[in-house]
């Protein structure tokens, strides 16, 4: 039985109030859910959307370790599980296992969210509640955007091994599609969602988490949809489309770099804490250590080093790897993790303009540089030089947010990522989970 058929859609769903607290409810595969699908009410919709927000955050620690370790942003030391420094770093001819936590956990979590969204979309079709046409359209637009985003995260991992896009019927799953086909399908779903959001009226018929507070109306969330669509178009190398999407996004060259949407966490026993946080000076039992090149390659005076790392009291060594700095992008168990923020949009704008309007690209790059207390860019205006600068600013500005490995892969520079031990390797992609082939 394939993973998507095995999934329990959710173990905990809930109503989101001013924080991200989630109350426990029964399994969405249970008989109560059959009744909801037959006639979805307003309170039911809030509960089910709460489930989507919950499942979006499951497996995130594994996802960020996958892309962060292979992308040589940090090491993940774990004395109880050496696969994090052996398998993920390709030590001594190691291969990525298709039946272990670093692929099965994030893969299943993302498809769990997709299934949650599909349950609600199907239930909307059968509802006799007093949802207006605008409310129905707004809800569809939100859910389709989330579905597309979740599919993109899985495609980031498996790359040319592909993903399943057609999973509406768990008993009759569609085929795996290639990376190129997957991006096309994801972009199409984003654009379909945008059409729904345009017709979505003035408000959603449900509450969102505080991580979406600045984008909690259909019109505002449409800007998020356009920003995510710009990311997909950049992965496709379609730069005119990137600029077109950004024009309708929340891109703001003079705005706060941190404006965006976020996963939010709490220490409530019914909720989830930030899975990427470790305290300073933690031991090899569980810690993330900055890959030394991040420090060594930084420009003098770059304030992002102090903002995102912490010098340890002592050097830590584990499994033939050493480091002096803790990964400290997230400083507590309740810190938010960005899904997409203005800094990324500015960098996408810079990237798209490299071959279209180089001076505009430099202006955007200078916004990012100046925010880190660096002087204006003074290098060449050639495509090669600007691409190098853009990738460097993405490396430092988006550090720990899950981009460097994907960036290195799409610009065909995986061979420039550091090899820290003889015999290590930089993997291009993860295998499809074994259970998908059973």
């Amino acid at each position: 039985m394939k993973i998507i058929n095995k999934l329990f859609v959710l173990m905990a769903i809930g109503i989101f109030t001013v924080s991200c607290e989630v109350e426990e409810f029964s399994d969405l595969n249970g008989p109560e859910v059959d009744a909801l699908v037959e006639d979805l009410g307003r309170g039911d919709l809030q509960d089910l959307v709460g489930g989507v927000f919950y499942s979006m955050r499951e497996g995130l620690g594994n996802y960020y370790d996958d892309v962060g370790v292979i992308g040589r942003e940090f090491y993940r030391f774990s004395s109880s599980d050496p696969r994090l420094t052996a398998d993920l770093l390709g030590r001594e001819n190691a291969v990525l296992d298709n039946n272990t936590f670093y692929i099965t956990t994030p893969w299943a979590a993302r498809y769990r969210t997709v299934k949650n969204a599909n349950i609600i979309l199907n239930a909307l079709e059968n509802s006799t509640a007093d949802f207006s046409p605008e409310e129905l359209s707004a809800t569809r637009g939100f859910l389709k955007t989330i579905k597309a985003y979740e599919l993109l995260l899985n495609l980031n991992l498996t790359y040319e091994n592909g993903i399943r896009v057609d999973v509406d019927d768990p008993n009759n799953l569609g085929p795996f599609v290639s990376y190129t086909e997957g991006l096309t399908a994801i972009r199409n779903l984003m654009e379909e969602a945008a059409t729904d959001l345009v017709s979505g009226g003035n408000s959603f018929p449900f509450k969102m988490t505080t991580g979406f507070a600045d984008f909690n109306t259909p019109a505002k969330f449409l800007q998020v949809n356009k920003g995510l669509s710009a990311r997909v178009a950049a992965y496709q190398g379609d730069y005119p489309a990137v600029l077109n999407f950004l024009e309708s996004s929340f891109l703001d060259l003079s705005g706060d770099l941190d404006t965006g949407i976020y996963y939010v966490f709490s220490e409530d026993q019914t909720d989830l804490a930030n899975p990427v946080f470790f305290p300073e000076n933690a031991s090899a039992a569980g810690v993330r250590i900055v890959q030394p090149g991040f420090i060594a390659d930084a420009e003098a005076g770059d304030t992002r080093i102090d903002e995102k790392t912490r010098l340890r009291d002592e050097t830590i060594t584990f499994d033939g790897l050493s480091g002096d700095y803790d990964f400290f992008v997230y400083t507590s168990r309740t810190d938010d993790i960005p899904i997409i923020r203005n800094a990324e949009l500015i960098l996408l704008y810079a990237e798209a303009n490299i071959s279209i309007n180089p001076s505009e690209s430099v202006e955007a790059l200078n916004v990012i540089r100046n925010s880190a207390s660096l002087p204006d860019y003074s290098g060449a205006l050639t495509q090669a030089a600007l691409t190098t600068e853009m990738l460097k600013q993405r490396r430092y500005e988006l550090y720990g947010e899950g981009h460097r490995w994907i960036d290195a892969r799409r610009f065909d520079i995986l061979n420039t990522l550091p090899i820290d031990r003889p015999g290590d390797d930089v993997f291009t992609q993860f295998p499809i989970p074994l259970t998908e082939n059973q």
Side-chain angles (χ1 to χ4, degrees):
M1 181 181 290
K2 300 177 178 65
I3 274 184
I4 195 68
N5 289 335
K6 290 182 175 180
L7 295 180
F8 289 107
V9 182
L10 202 58
M11 292 185 294
I13 65 174
I15 299 173
F16 285 77
T17 56
V18 293
S19 67
C20 191
E21 297 179 1
V22 181
E23 297 178 9
E24 297 228 351
F25 287 83
S26 57
D27 178 9
L28 284 188
N29 280 323
E32 302 97 328
V33 174
D34 293 337
L36 296 184
V37 172
E38 290 175 4
D39 193 4
L40 182 73
R42 286 184 177 272
D44 304 325
L45 177 61
Q46 181 67 68
D47 290 350
L48 297 180
V49 170
V52 169
F53 279 116
Y54 190 96
S55 62
M56 283 179 69
R57 298 172 300 152
E58 294 184 302
L60 283 180
N62 299 110
Y63 178 83
Y64 286 113
D65 281 342
D66 287 347
V67 297
V69 172
I70 297 180
R72 270 48 177 192
E73 292 190 288
F74 55 78
Y75 308 133
R76 173 68 166 90
F77 292 170
S78 174
S79 56
S80 64
D81 204 325
R83 288 173 292 185
L84 291 163
T85 48
D87 291 19
L88 292 184
L89 291 173
R91 187 174 191 180
E92 297 176 354
N93 299 314
V95 296
L96 291 173
D97 191 336
N98 67 351
N99 194 32
T100 198
F101 67 93
Y102 48 65
I103 181 60
T104 58
T105 298
W107 176 272
R110 303 291 67 78
Y111 274 117
R112 184 177 301 122
T113 302
V114 170
K115 188 172 182 181
N116 289 346
N118 284 337
I119 285 175
I120 304 172
L121 288 168
N122 290 332
L124 290 173
E125 299 301 319
N126 301 316
S127 176
T128 60
D130 58 343
F131 295 113
S132 70
E134 291 78 15
E135 288 176 323
L136 292 173
S137 187
T139 304
R140 293 187 186 102
F142 170 76
L143 292 170
K144 290 174 186 177
T145 299
I146 297 302
K147 280 180 57 178
Y149 171 71
E150 296 289 282
L151 291 171
L152 182 64
L153 294 188
N154 270 354
L155 189 59
N156 283 344
L157 296 180
T158 54
Y159 190 47
E160 292 292 357
N161 285 326
I163 56 169
R164 296 186 195 275
V165 174
D166 180 6
V167 294
D168 290 351
D169 181 355
N171 297 312
N172 186 28
L173 299 176
F176 278 88
V177 301
S178 70
Y179 180 70
T180 299
E181 293 169 325
L183 287 178
T184 298
I186 289 166
R187 179 167 157 183
N188 288 342
L189 185 56
M190 284 285 188
E191 295 192 40
E192 185 180 322
T195 299
D196 288 326
L197 290 166
V198 167
S199 302
N202 297 321
S203 63
F204 288 107
F206 52 84
K207 294 180 180 179
M208 294 188 173
T209 71
T210 55
F212 287 61
D214 293 333
F215 300 94
N216 59 7
T217 68
K220 284 290 189 178
F221 190 74
L222 177 61
Q223 296 177 344
V224 170
N225 171 284
K226 294 295 185 178
L228 290 170
S229 295
R231 182 193 291 179
V232 176
Y235 288 1
Q236 294 175 308
D238 186 353
Y239 291 124
V242 172
L243 293 176
N244 183 58
F245 286 130
L246 288 175
E247 190 172 331
S248 301
S249 74
F250 60 95
L251 168 70
D252 185 351
L253 291 173
S254 59
D256 187 339
L257 298 188
D258 291 329
T259 296
I261 60 169
Y262 291 77
Y263 302 106
V264 292
F265 304 92
S266 78
E267 295 188 282
D268 188 282
Q269 64 179 356
T270 62
D271 197 20
L272 299 174
N274 184 316
V276 194
F277 167 74
F278 279 115
E280 294 180 67
N281 294 300
S283 71
V287 68
R288 292 177 180 85
I289 297 297
V290 177
Q291 200 283 335
F294 182 75
I295 305 297
D297 296 343
E299 290 186 47
D302 191 330
T303 56
R304 293 171 294 196
I305 298 301
D306 288 339
E307 291 169 359
K308 300 174 186 288
T309 73
R310 291 290 187 276
L311 181 64
R312 293 177 59 86
D313 291 343
E314 295 181 343
T315 299
I316 187 171
T317 300
F318 178 78
D319 201 12
L321 302 165
S322 297
D324 295 314
Y325 288 80
D326 285 326
F327 174 86
F328 218 60
V329 174
Y330 309 109
T331 61
S332 78
R333 286 167 53 84
T334 59
D335 271 15
D336 300 344
I337 294 177
I339 294 172
I340 189 167
R341 60 188 180 99
N342 188 39
E344 182 188 348
L345 300 188
I346 292 172
L347 286 161
L348 286 171
Y349 183 74
E351 179 181 338
N353 272 302
I354 286 174
S355 59
I356 296 172
N357 188 343
S359 61
E360 193 70 14
S361 178
V362 170
E363 180 180 342
L365 290 170
N366 284 339
V367 170
I368 301 298
R369 290 180 59 86
N370 296 164
S371 72
S373 299
L374 296 176
D376 287 352
Y377 173 74
S378 59
L381 295 183
T382 63
Q383 185 168 337
L386 287 174
T387 297
T388 297
E389 174 64 15
M390 177 272 298
L391 287 173
K392 184 169 187 176
Q393 293 313 313
R394 285 182 65 88
R395 177 185 180 187
Y396 282 88
E397 182 60 36
L398 305 180
Y399 179 66
E401 297 178 27
H403 295 279
R404 192 186 183 206
W405 180 48
I406 294 126
D407 288 343
R409 186 173 63 196
R410 65 193 180 96
F411 281 91
D412 196 24
I413 55 170
L414 286 173
N415 63 340
T416 68
L417 297 182
I419 299 295
D420 296 309
R421 299 171 302 196
D424 280 5
D425 195 8
V426 178
F427 290 113
T428 302
Q429 61 197 13
F430 282 82
I432 298 298
L434 176 65
T435 46
E436 287 290 346
N437 301 310
Q438 294 179 340

